[in-house]
Amino acid sequence: MCTVSKEEAQISLERMLSWAKSNNPSNGGSLGEWVYNRGTSSQPTNYVEEDVVELINSLTPNAVQKVQNWKTPSEFPCCPQEKYEHPIANYISNVTIGAIFSRNQYTSSIVEQFAISQDENTFWIMCKSGEENPIKPYALAEVTYQNDVYIHNSLGTFFEKSGAEKQFTLIQGLEWTGEVTIDDYC
């Protein structure tokens, strides 16, 4: 990957959308090779990788972010500041469609949809960027509660709403009945 201008990214998006809507199969190439070979590993079979989760403080007290997916410190206006018996249920009670879920020096994320897990230990939120004409206007996040802090994790950004809706549906363990999206190829 390399840094590209907004115009170059827009051209690439248009080309990918055009290809996705066509009936032409992938010819391999570097993108195809990455997609089809991403499950292979060069690690020995007895190799055990420890999951090291690095967290940073957000701009909101009582909240952190997983650095791997969310490096820019952000504010979470709906995040509760007190301790509650059911912290995730309490957090989600503060969330409304159209409200700001997160904001930082670059953008804000506006709530489109949200759902809570059956055990009420996790909730997912689909947002639309508050920025004008972003390259990937939709995002999906997950919030959990551990060690008296809310942990915010980005589950990705998406070119199209249908791509975000698909992942939002699947992350809840539900069946996706919609079509293939451009985000399936990116």
Side-chain angles (χ1 to χ4, degrees), residues 89-134:
N90 188 268
Y91 193 141
I92 208 165
S93 71
N94 294 339
V95 176
T96 58
I97 293 175
I100 295 175
F101 170 66
S102 69
R103 64 179 156 227
N104 59 43
Q105 67 191 44
Y106 303 111
T107 190
S108 60
S109 296
I110 311 301
V111 177
E112 289 269 313
Q113 296 183 49
F114 55 92
I116 191 168
S117 63
Q118 287 184 348
D119 63 8
E120 295 188 354
N121 290 328
T122 303
F123 85 86
W124 304 280
I125 189 157
M126 188 179 92
C127 296
K128 183 173 183 178
S129 175
E131 181 183 336
E132 191 173 322
N133 299 319

Side-chain angles (χ1 to χ4, degrees), residues 29-81:
S30 60
L31 179 61
E33 288 171 20
W34 175 80
V35 169
Y36 294 112
N37 294 325
R38 68 179 179 208
T40 62
S41 174
S42 61
Q43 296 294 341
T45 54
N46 63 349
Y47 177 79
V48 177
E49 184 177 320
E50 291 187 30
D51 289 335
V52 177
V53 178
E54 188 178 348
L55 303 172
I56 61 167
N57 288 325
S58 74
L59 300 177
T60 299
N62 204 30
V64 296
Q65 299 163 216
K66 286 190 177 180
V67 173
Q68 177 183 355
N69 302 323
W70 205 327
K71 292 179 173 78
T72 304
S74 299
E75 175 186 3
F76 301 96
C78 299
C79 187
Q81 296 305 302

